Amino acid sequence: MTATEHDREPATADGRKLRGQRRRAQIIEATLAIVHRDGASGVTHRTVAKEAGITTSLTLYYFATLDDLLVAALTSITDQYSRRIRQLIDSDDPVDGLAHLVAESAGPGRERALAERELSTLAARRPALRPIAQGWRKNVAELARTQTDDPDAIDAFVSLADGLCAAILLNDDKPDPDHIRAVLRKVLLPPHR
């Protein structure tokens, strides 16, 4: 092998890897589109392949089982939320940031929030999804710990944030981040004696 041929080999391997990553992302986005449009029950390898404009065998190549596909789709969403919450934890006012993040569920983030909610609910029936679905709650708990060390207040904060997200998705009104922040802060207050 000449030096020139040797130099091309890693680039070819990197190109294949990049194409594979793009294909996986394409399949995941197709899965999320189906979850948003038809619900999680509409996801099959065949429907995802059709949505992505590829063969069913390609979806099976990248995701051998339906659980693999659903886990990848939910992970895609929760990874984005995790990054955002990590940024909020390091901000001056993490609760205000979370209030705005929750409010985004009614705006441009609605499709992803709906898909996340549907897949997280599905986790109650599909154990493979549970660790990923619990990621949101763990991240919100970590954010709450920046405000209090009371385990009951942390649990209440996580449940409230989760419930507010669900309520926003069920309501057609535009959410008010100031109201969401005020409600979230109430559970962080020490109990009255």
Side-chain angles (χ1 to χ4, degrees):
M1 182 183 305
T2 66
T4 306
E5 289 170 341
H6 181 65
D7 291 340
R8 279 191 225 141
E9 189 175 318
T12 303
D14 286 347
R16 279 188 296 237
K17 183 177 179 182
L18 184 58
R19 279 192 303 278
Q21 290 170 343
R22 285 183 186 151
R23 182 67 74 196
R24 278 181 61 83
Q26 177 188 11
I27 294 167
I28 290 167
E29 285 305 314
T31 303
L32 292 173
I34 291 168
V35 170
H36 174 62
R37 184 183 63 235
D38 304 328
S41 63
V43 175
T44 66
H45 280 94
R46 182 170 284 143
T47 59
V48 170
K50 184 176 179 184
E51 181 76 23
I54 59 175
T55 64
T56 302
S57 61
L58 261 177
T59 65
L60 287 162
Y61 174 79
Y62 287 99
F63 302 98
T65 68
L66 195 55
D67 276 352
D68 292 342
L69 187 55
L70 293 171
V71 165
L74 184 56
T75 299
S76 160
I77 297 169
T78 57
D79 283 353
Q80 289 179 355
Y81 283 131
S82 293
R83 281 191 296 276
R84 294 278 304 275
I85 292 174
R86 293 243 173 267
Q87 292 169 345
L88 296 175
I89 287 169
D90 296 331
S91 71
D92 293 335
D93 191 348
V95 176
D96 180 64
L98 182 63
H100 282 85
L101 179 61
V102 168
E104 284 177 22
S105 296
R110 183 172 176 78
E111 285 186 24
R112 284 202 173 267
L114 280 169
E116 188 272 338
R117 176 67 47 182
E118 174 115 15
L119 291 170
S120 291
T121 301
L122 183 62
R125 294 187 187 272
R126 294 187 94 119
L129 293 170
R130 287 183 191 155
I132 310 327
Q134 292 166 348
W136 157 260
R137 298 179 65 81
K138 289 177 184 173
N139 286 315
V140 173
E142 187 176 336
L143 187 146
R145 281 192 279 287
T146 68
Q147 308 295 304
T148 183
D149 58 358
D150 177 354
D152 293 336
I154 292 167
D155 285 347
F157 186 87
V158 171
S159 296
L160 179 59
D162 197 41
L164 286 167
C165 288
I168 286 170
L169 291 172
L170 293 171
N171 195 340
D172 291 331
D173 297 337
K174 183 176 180 187
D176 177 7
D178 293 334
H179 174 72
I180 294 168
R181 181 181 57 247
V183 171
L184 287 170
R185 286 200 191 284
K186 279 199 184 277
V187 299
L188 298 173
L189 295 173
H192 296 292
R193 305 253 175 207

